[in-house]
Amino acid sequence: MQSAIPAPLSARAADARLSPAYYVRADGLGPYITDLLENCHSVFDIKPAMAADLDDAAGLRNEHSGVVEEGALVQGDVVVQAGARIEAGAQVVGPVLICNGAVVAAGALVRDHTVIGPGCRIGFGAEITRSLLAGDVLMKHPCFIGDSVIGRRVNIGSFCSTTALRCDRGPVTEPALEEITVNLDGRRITTGQTKFGAIVGDEVALPAGTVLSPGTLIGPGTVVYPRGHIGGFLPAGSRVR
């Protein structure tokens, strides 16, 4: 796997715009998510660290005290914390952690290596895979989030989606071969991953129908007006028309 201009990990960590703290306030999200965010030097570290933790989830299994309703389809290692609920008609394929107070409603699909943070609401037709939803995220309509990190109090509108694969180098292959990169100040920064969707900071609302390109970084408090496609880096507090 090759990238155009490799950037060492130290360079990533030195840029505050690549720090998890730039996008998501970590306190009050429960011990697992808070520790995860505080211990990752770069936003690009979050997904691999989370995947490794979920593959060895022995330390989380004693927290399984939430509700799985009869009629829910649950497969693999799925931990449901106190006050969380998987409703009848929902499908969850582990390894997955569903944190305190989160609800996965009928018709939702949550797939492998995902953490649904406290207070999140996942509704009918919503699909999530290999992603972190930090807390109080609303995905109440048909939409797709994959290979991404979504901050606190983010609203994902109907038919929004992240895209995580490059499709400009010929036929798409599975497993993916081309590394995803992001562009900051004209520098191409490597993610170390062949599937990387988006980082969406705290308190962003994505209007219905928004599509995010691979490697999109949206700072907290950004206001996104209705439009079709977004990519690149949007600083905190941006207004995008």
Side-chain angles (χ1 to χ4, degrees):
M1 187 168 61
Q2 297 179 343
S3 58
I5 307 174
L9 180 59
S10 58
R12 299 176 186 166
D15 193 324
R17 297 169 299 177
L18 297 178
S19 163
Y22 183 86
Y23 298 91
V24 185
R25 183 168 58 84
D27 62 291
L29 293 172
Y32 175 71
I33 297 178
T34 295
D35 288 349
L36 173 70
L37 294 173
E38 290 180 346
N39 290 328
C40 287
H41 297 292
S42 161
V43 290
F44 307 133
D45 301 332
I46 295 172
K47 190 164 72 92
M50 187 174 67
D53 291 341
L54 291 174
D55 281 336
D56 183 22
L60 295 171
R61 291 192 185 104
N62 60 0
E63 300 185 30
H64 188 113
S65 54
V67 174
V68 178
E69 294 183 356
E70 184 177 355
L73 178 57
V74 176
Q75 299 171 285
D77 195 356
V78 177
V79 176
V80 185
Q81 292 184 339
R85 184 171 78 255
I86 302 175
E87 293 184 349
Q91 183 175 1
V92 182
V93 182
V96 165
L97 169 63
I98 300 176
C99 297
N100 304 71
V103 176
V104 180
L109 171 60
V110 180
R111 295 198 280 124
D112 62 294
H113 299 96
T114 290
V115 173
I116 305 296
C120 292
R121 296 291 185 269
I122 313 303
F124 182 88
E127 179 180 357
I128 308 162
T129 185
R130 298 183 301 273
S131 296
L132 167 65
L133 277 59
D136 296 309
V137 173
L138 297 179
M139 290 183 62
K140 310 252 333 213
H141 308 286
C143 52
F144 173 77
I145 296 295
D147 301 281
S148 298
V149 175
I150 309 299
R152 308 162 78 120
R153 292 182 295 280
V154 170
N155 183 77
I156 310 293
S158 299
F159 306 111
C160 288
S161 66
T162 62
T163 55
L165 280 171
R166 295 191 65 150
C167 59
D168 58 346
R169 302 292 180 89
V172 171
T173 61
E174 188 67 51
L177 300 176
E178 290 284 342
E179 183 174 7
I180 303 300
T181 59
V182 302
N183 195 303
L184 280 178
D185 304 329
R187 295 181 301 135
R188 196 164 291 278
I189 310 293
T190 62
T191 65
Q193 297 164 62
T194 57
K195 289 186 177 181
F196 187 85
I199 307 293
V200 180
D202 292 346
E203 299 183 346
V204 171
L206 295 180
T210 304
V211 177
L212 303 183
S213 296
T216 298
L217 307 176
I218 302 178
T222 293
V223 176
V224 179
Y225 290 84
R227 56 180 297 166
H229 211 113
I230 292 176
F233 169 69
L234 305 178
S238 298
R239 300 181 78 84
V240 184
R241 294 183 183 273

Short mmCIF file of all heavy atoms in Angstrom, two decimals, residues 175-225:
data_model
loop_
_atom_site.label_atom_id
_atom_site.label_comp_id
_atom_site.label_asym_id
_atom_site.label_seq_id
_atom_site.Cartn_x
_atom_site.Cartn_y
_atom_site.Cartn_z
N PRO A 175 -10.61 -6.96 -0.77
CA PRO A 175 -10.35 -5.80 0.09
C PRO A 175 -9.72 -4.63 -0.67
O PRO A 175 -9.07 -4.81 -1.69
CB PRO A 175 -9.39 -6.35 1.13
CG PRO A 175 -8.69 -7.47 0.46
CD PRO A 175 -9.71 -8.09 -0.45
N ALA A 176 -9.94 -3.42 -0.13
CA ALA A 176 -9.43 -2.21 -0.76
C ALA A 176 -7.91 -2.18 -0.72
O ALA A 176 -7.28 -2.71 0.22
CB ALA A 176 -9.98 -0.99 -0.04
N LEU A 177 -7.30 -1.56 -1.72
CA LEU A 177 -5.85 -1.49 -1.81
C LEU A 177 -5.30 -0.07 -1.70
O LEU A 177 -4.17 0.11 -1.24
CB LEU A 177 -5.40 -2.10 -3.16
CG LEU A 177 -5.77 -3.56 -3.40
CD1 LEU A 177 -5.34 -3.97 -4.81
CD2 LEU A 177 -5.11 -4.46 -2.36
N GLU A 178 -6.06 0.92 -2.11
CA GLU A 178 -5.58 2.30 -2.12
C GLU A 178 -5.78 2.96 -0.76
O GLU A 178 -6.89 3.00 -0.23
CB GLU A 178 -6.31 3.11 -3.19
CG GLU A 178 -5.95 2.73 -4.61
CD GLU A 178 -4.59 3.26 -5.01
OE1 GLU A 178 -4.08 4.18 -4.35
OE2 GLU A 178 -4.04 2.75 -6.00
N GLU A 179 -4.71 3.51 -0.20
CA GLU A 179 -4.81 4.19 1.09
C GLU A 179 -5.56 5.52 0.93
O GLU A 179 -5.35 6.25 -0.04
CB GLU A 179 -3.43 4.45 1.67
CG GLU A 179 -3.47 5.09 3.05
CD GLU A 179 -2.09 5.21 3.68
OE1 GLU A 179 -1.10 4.92 2.99
OE2 GLU A 179 -2.03 5.61 4.86
N ILE A 180 -6.41 5.82 1.91
CA ILE A 180 -7.11 7.10 1.93
C ILE A 180 -6.19 8.16 2.54
O ILE A 180 -5.55 7.92 3.57
CB ILE A 180 -8.41 7.00 2.74
CG1 ILE A 180 -9.33 5.90 2.18
CG2 ILE A 180 -9.13 8.34 2.77
CD1 ILE A 180 -9.73 6.11 0.75
N THR A 181 -6.14 9.32 1.91
CA THR A 181 -5.35 10.44 2.43
C THR A 181 -6.25 11.65 2.63
O THR A 181 -7.34 11.73 2.04
CB THR A 181 -4.19 10.80 1.49
OG1 THR A 181 -4.74 11.16 0.20
CG2 THR A 181 -3.24 9.62 1.31
N VAL A 182 -5.81 12.58 3.46
CA VAL A 182 -6.53 13.84 3.63
C VAL A 182 -5.59 14.99 3.27
O VAL A 182 -4.37 14.85 3.32
CB VAL A 182 -7.06 14.01 5.07
CG1 VAL A 182 -7.97 12.86 5.45
CG2 VAL A 182 -5.91 14.12 6.06
N ASN A 183 -6.18 16.12 2.91
CA ASN A 183 -5.40 17.27 2.47
C ASN A 183 -5.53 18.39 3.47
O ASN A 183 -6.63 18.87 3.75
CB ASN A 183 -5.89 17.72 1.08
CG ASN A 183 -4.91 18.66 0.42
OD1 ASN A 183 -4.57 19.70 0.98
ND2 ASN A 183 -4.49 18.32 -0.79
N LEU A 184 -4.40 18.81 4.03
CA LEU A 184 -4.36 19.94 4.96
C LEU A 184 -3.30 20.92 4.47
O LEU A 184 -2.12 20.56 4.37
CB LEU A 184 -4.02 19.48 6.38
CG LEU A 184 -5.14 18.88 7.23
CD1 LEU A 184 -4.58 18.45 8.58
CD2 LEU A 184 -6.26 19.88 7.42
N ASP A 185 -3.72 22.15 4.18
CA ASP A 185 -2.79 23.19 3.74
C ASP A 185 -1.94 22.73 2.55
O ASP A 185 -0.75 23.05 2.45
CB ASP A 185 -1.86 23.61 4.89
CG ASP A 185 -2.62 24.08 6.11
OD1 ASP A 185 -3.72 24.64 5.94
OD2 ASP A 185 -2.13 23.88 7.23
N GLY A 186 -2.54 21.98 1.66
CA GLY A 186 -1.81 21.51 0.49
C GLY A 186 -0.94 20.31 0.74
O GLY A 186 -0.29 19.80 -0.18
N ARG A 187 -0.89 19.83 1.98
CA ARG A 187 -0.11 18.62 2.30
C ARG A 187 -1.05 17.42 2.29
O ARG A 187 -2.13 17.47 2.86
CB ARG A 187 0.54 18.73 3.68
CG ARG A 187 1.59 19.81 3.80
CD ARG A 187 2.17 19.80 5.22
NE ARG A 187 1.15 20.02 6.22
CZ ARG A 187 1.03 19.32 7.34
NH1 ARG A 187 1.87 18.32 7.59
NH2 ARG A 187 0.07 19.60 8.21
N ARG A 188 -0.58 16.35 1.69
CA ARG A 188 -1.37 15.12 1.68
C ARG A 188 -0.92 14.27 2.86
O ARG A 188 0.23 13.84 2.94
CB ARG A 188 -1.18 14.38 0.35
CG ARG A 188 -2.24 13.33 0.12
CD ARG A 188 -2.26 12.90 -1.33
NE ARG A 188 -2.74 13.95 -2.21
CZ ARG A 188 -4.02 14.22 -2.43
NH1 ARG A 188 -4.96 13.52 -1.81
NH2 ARG A 188 -4.39 15.17 -3.25
N ILE A 189 -1.84 14.03 3.80
CA ILE A 189 -1.55 13.31 5.04
C ILE A 189 -2.12 11.90 4.94
O ILE A 189 -3.30 11.71 4.60
CB ILE A 189 -2.17 14.02 6.26
CG1 ILE A 189 -1.82 15.51 6.26
CG2 ILE A 189 -1.74 13.34 7.55
CD1 ILE A 189 -0.37 15.80 6.48
N THR A 190 -1.32 10.91 5.26
CA THR A 190 -1.79 9.54 5.19
C THR A 190 -2.64 9.19 6.41
O THR A 190 -2.39 9.66 7.51
CB THR A 190 -0.61 8.56 5.11
OG1 THR A 190 0.18 8.68 6.30
CG2 THR A 190 0.26 8.84 3.91
N THR A 191 -3.63 8.34 6.19
CA THR A 191 -4.46 7.86 7.30
C THR A 191 -4.01 6.49 7.79
O THR A 191 -4.39 6.06 8.88
CB THR A 191 -5.94 7.74 6.86
OG1 THR A 191 -6.03 6.73 5.85
CG2 THR A 191 -6.46 9.06 6.32
N GLY A 192 -3.22 5.76 6.96
CA GLY A 192 -2.84 4.40 7.30
C GLY A 192 -3.95 3.39 7.09
O GLY A 192 -3.84 2.25 7.51
N GLN A 193 -5.04 3.82 6.40
CA GLN A 193 -6.21 2.96 6.25
C GLN A 193 -6.72 3.01 4.81
O GLN A 193 -6.68 4.06 4.18
CB GLN A 193 -7.32 3.42 7.21
CG GLN A 193 -6.92 3.30 8.68
CD GLN A 193 -7.82 4.09 9.58
OE1 GLN A 193 -9.02 3.81 9.66
NE2 GLN A 193 -7.29 5.07 10.28
N THR A 194 -7.20 1.88 4.34
CA THR A 194 -7.75 1.82 3.00
C THR A 194 -9.25 2.10 2.98
O THR A 194 -9.83 2.26 1.91
CB THR A 194 -7.49 0.45 2.36
OG1 THR A 194 -8.04 -0.58 3.20
CG2 THR A 194 -5.99 0.21 2.18
N LYS A 195 -9.87 2.15 4.16
CA LYS A 195 -11.26 2.57 4.29
C LYS A 195 -11.33 3.61 5.40
O LYS A 195 -11.08 3.30 6.57
CB LYS A 195 -12.17 1.39 4.61
CG LYS A 195 -12.38 0.42 3.46
CD LYS A 195 -13.40 -0.65 3.81
CE LYS A 195 -13.66 -1.56 2.62
NZ LYS A 195 -14.67 -2.60 2.93
N PHE A 196 -11.64 4.84 5.02
CA PHE A 196 -11.72 5.91 6.01
C PHE A 196 -12.77 6.90 5.53
O PHE A 196 -12.62 7.52 4.48
CB PHE A 196 -10.37 6.61 6.17
CG PHE A 196 -10.34 7.60 7.30
CD1 PHE A 196 -10.07 7.17 8.59
CD2 PHE A 196 -10.63 8.93 7.08
CE1 PHE A 196 -10.05 8.08 9.64
CE2 PHE A 196 -10.62 9.84 8.12
CZ PHE A 196 -10.33 9.42 9.40
N GLY A 197 -13.84 7.02 6.30
CA GLY A 197 -14.95 7.86 5.90
C GLY A 197 -14.79 9.31 6.30
O GLY A 197 -14.24 10.12 5.56
N ALA A 198 -15.24 9.66 7.50
CA ALA A 198 -15.24 11.05 7.92
C ALA A 198 -15.07 11.17 9.42
O ALA A 198 -15.38 10.25 10.18
CB ALA A 198 -16.55 11.73 7.49
N ILE A 199 -14.58 12.35 9.83
CA ILE A 199 -14.63 12.77 11.23
C ILE A 199 -15.60 13.95 11.27
O ILE A 199 -15.38 14.96 10.58
CB ILE A 199 -13.26 13.22 11.75
CG1 ILE A 199 -12.19 12.15 11.50
CG2 ILE A 199 -13.34 13.57 13.24
CD1 ILE A 199 -12.36 10.88 12.28
N VAL A 200 -16.65 13.83 12.05
CA VAL A 200 -17.65 14.90 12.17
C VAL A 200 -17.65 15.38 13.61
O VAL A 200 -17.95 14.60 14.53
CB VAL A 200 -19.05 14.42 11.74
CG1 VAL A 200 -20.06 15.54 11.87
CG2 VAL A 200 -19.02 13.88 10.31
N GLY A 201 -17.31 16.64 13.83
CA GLY A 201 -17.16 17.17 15.17
C GLY A 201 -18.49 17.40 15.88
O GLY A 201 -19.58 17.27 15.30
N ASP A 202 -18.39 17.76 17.16
CA ASP A 202 -19.55 17.97 18.01
C ASP A 202 -20.52 19.00 17.41
O ASP A 202 -20.11 20.01 16.82
CB ASP A 202 -19.11 18.47 19.39
CG ASP A 202 -18.34 17.43 20.19
OD1 ASP A 202 -18.37 16.24 19.82
OD2 ASP A 202 -17.71 17.83 21.20
N GLU A 203 -21.80 18.72 17.60
CA GLU A 203 -22.89 19.66 17.32
C GLU A 203 -22.93 20.12 15.87
O GLU A 203 -23.18 21.28 15.57
CB GLU A 203 -22.83 20.84 18.29
CG GLU A 203 -22.98 20.39 19.74
CD GLU A 203 -23.01 21.54 20.72
OE1 GLU A 203 -22.65 22.67 20.34
OE2 GLU A 203 -23.38 21.31 21.88
N VAL A 204 -22.69 19.17 14.97
CA VAL A 204 -22.88 19.41 13.53
C VAL A 204 -24.17 18.72 13.10
O VAL A 204 -24.47 17.62 13.55
CB VAL A 204 -21.68 18.86 12.72
CG1 VAL A 204 -21.97 18.91 11.22
CG2 VAL A 204 -20.40 19.62 13.06
N ALA A 205 -24.93 19.38 12.22
CA ALA A 205 -26.12 18.77 11.64
C ALA A 205 -25.89 18.61 10.14
O ALA A 205 -25.58 19.59 9.46
CB ALA A 205 -27.35 19.62 11.91
N LEU A 206 -26.02 17.38 9.66
CA LEU A 206 -25.88 17.12 8.23
C LEU A 206 -27.27 17.11 7.60
O LEU A 206 -28.09 16.26 7.93
CB LEU A 206 -25.19 15.78 8.00
CG LEU A 206 -23.72 15.69 8.47
CD1 LEU A 206 -23.18 14.29 8.18
CD2 LEU A 206 -22.86 16.75 7.80
N PRO A 207 -27.55 18.04 6.69
CA PRO A 207 -28.87 18.08 6.06
C PRO A 207 -29.15 16.82 5.25
O PRO A 207 -28.22 16.12 4.81
CB PRO A 207 -28.78 19.31 5.15
CG PRO A 207 -27.67 20.14 5.69
CD PRO A 207 -26.69 19.16 6.25
N ALA A 208 -30.41 16.55 5.03
CA ALA A 208 -30.81 15.36 4.29
C ALA A 208 -30.12 15.30 2.93
O ALA A 208 -29.98 16.31 2.24
CB ALA A 208 -32.33 15.37 4.09
N GLY A 209 -29.65 14.11 2.59
CA GLY A 209 -29.05 13.89 1.29
C GLY A 209 -27.58 14.23 1.17
O GLY A 209 -27.01 14.10 0.09
N THR A 210 -26.94 14.64 2.26
CA THR A 210 -25.52 15.01 2.20
C THR A 210 -24.65 13.77 2.06
O THR A 210 -24.83 12.79 2.78
CB THR A 210 -25.11 15.77 3.47
OG1 THR A 210 -25.96 16.90 3.64
CG2 THR A 210 -23.67 16.23 3.38
N VAL A 211 -23.68 13.82 1.15
CA VAL A 211 -22.72 12.74 0.96
C VAL A 211 -21.34 13.27 1.31
O VAL A 211 -20.93 14.34 0.83
CB VAL A 211 -22.73 12.22 -0.49
CG1 VAL A 211 -21.66 11.14 -0.68
CG2 VAL A 211 -24.10 11.67 -0.85
N LEU A 212 -20.59 12.56 2.15
CA LEU A 212 -19.25 12.96 2.56
C LEU A 212 -18.22 12.12 1.82
O LEU A 212 -18.29 10.89 1.83
CB LEU A 212 -19.07 12.78 4.07
CG LEU A 212 -20.08 13.53 4.96
CD1 LEU A 212 -19.73 13.33 6.43
CD2 LEU A 212 -20.12 15.01 4.62
N SER A 213 -17.26 12.78 1.20
CA SER A 213 -16.18 12.08 0.49
C SER A 213 -15.26 11.37 1.47
O SER A 213 -15.21 11.73 2.66
CB SER A 213 -15.35 13.08 -0.32
OG SER A 213 -16.12 13.68 -1.32
N PRO A 214 -14.49 10.37 1.00
CA PRO A 214 -13.49 9.73 1.88
C PRO A 214 -12.52 10.77 2.44
O PRO A 214 -12.08 11.67 1.72
CB PRO A 214 -12.78 8.76 0.93
CG PRO A 214 -13.77 8.47 -0.14
CD PRO A 214 -14.53 9.74 -0.34
N GLY A 215 -12.21 10.63 3.72
CA GLY A 215 -11.24 11.53 4.35
C GLY A 215 -11.76 12.91 4.65
O GLY A 215 -10.98 13.86 4.77
N THR A 216 -13.07 13.09 4.82
CA THR A 216 -13.64 14.39 5.16
C THR A 216 -13.46 14.66 6.65
O THR A 216 -13.73 13.79 7.48
CB THR A 216 -15.12 14.44 4.80
OG1 THR A 216 -15.27 14.27 3.39
CG2 THR A 216 -15.75 15.77 5.19
N LEU A 217 -13.03 15.89 7.00
CA LEU A 217 -12.87 16.30 8.39
C LEU A 217 -13.71 17.55 8.62
O LEU A 217 -13.46 18.60 8.01
CB LEU A 217 -11.39 16.61 8.69
CG LEU A 217 -10.37 15.52 8.35
CD1 LEU A 217 -8.95 16.03 8.62
CD2 LEU A 217 -10.64 14.25 9.13
N ILE A 218 -14.71 17.46 9.50
CA ILE A 218 -15.62 18.58 9.77
C ILE A 218 -15.47 18.99 11.22
O ILE A 218 -15.78 18.22 12.14
CB ILE A 218 -17.08 18.19 9.46
CG1 ILE A 218 -17.22 17.75 8.00
CG2 ILE A 218 -18.01 19.36 9.75
CD1 ILE A 218 -18.62 17.31 7.63
N GLY A 219 -15.00 20.21 11.45
CA GLY A 219 -14.80 20.70 12.80
C GLY A 219 -16.10 20.93 13.54
O GLY A 219 -17.16 21.08 12.92
N PRO A 220 -16.05 20.98 14.87
CA PRO A 220 -17.27 21.14 15.68
C PRO A 220 -17.95 22.47 15.39
O PRO A 220 -17.31 23.47 15.06
CB PRO A 220 -16.76 21.06 17.12
CG PRO A 220 -15.30 21.43 17.02
CD PRO A 220 -14.84 20.92 15.71
N GLY A 221 -19.26 22.47 15.54
CA GLY A 221 -20.02 23.70 15.38
C GLY A 221 -20.16 24.18 13.95
O GLY A 221 -20.68 25.27 13.72
N THR A 222 -19.72 23.40 12.99
CA THR A 222 -19.86 23.78 11.59
C THR A 222 -21.33 23.74 11.17
O THR A 222 -22.06 22.82 11.53
CB THR A 222 -19.02 22.85 10.69
OG1 THR A 222 -17.63 23.07 10.96
CG2 THR A 222 -19.29 23.09 9.23
N VAL A 223 -21.73 24.74 10.40
CA VAL A 223 -23.09 24.79 9.88
C VAL A 223 -23.04 24.41 8.40
O VAL A 223 -22.37 25.07 7.60
CB VAL A 223 -23.71 26.19 10.04
CG1 VAL A 223 -25.09 26.25 9.39
CG2 VAL A 223 -23.79 26.56 11.51
N VAL A 224 -23.73 23.34 8.06
CA VAL A 224 -23.76 22.85 6.69
C VAL A 224 -25.15 23.12 6.11
O VAL A 224 -26.14 22.58 6.61
CB VAL A 224 -23.43 21.34 6.63
CG1 VAL A 224 -23.48 20.85 5.19
CG2 VAL A 224 -22.06 21.07 7.25
N TYR A 225 -25.20 23.96 5.09
CA TYR A 225 -26.46 24.22 4.42
C TYR A 225 -26.74 23.09 3.43
O TYR A 225 -25.83 22.38 3.02
CB TYR A 225 -26.41 25.57 3.70
CG TYR A 225 -26.39 26.75 4.64
CD1 TYR A 225 -25.20 27.19 5.21
CD2 TYR A 225 -27.57 27.40 4.99
CE1 TYR A 225 -25.17 28.27 6.08
CE2 TYR A 225 -27.56 28.48 5.87
CZ TYR A 225 -26.35 28.90 6.41
OH TYR A 225 -26.34 29.95 7.29
#
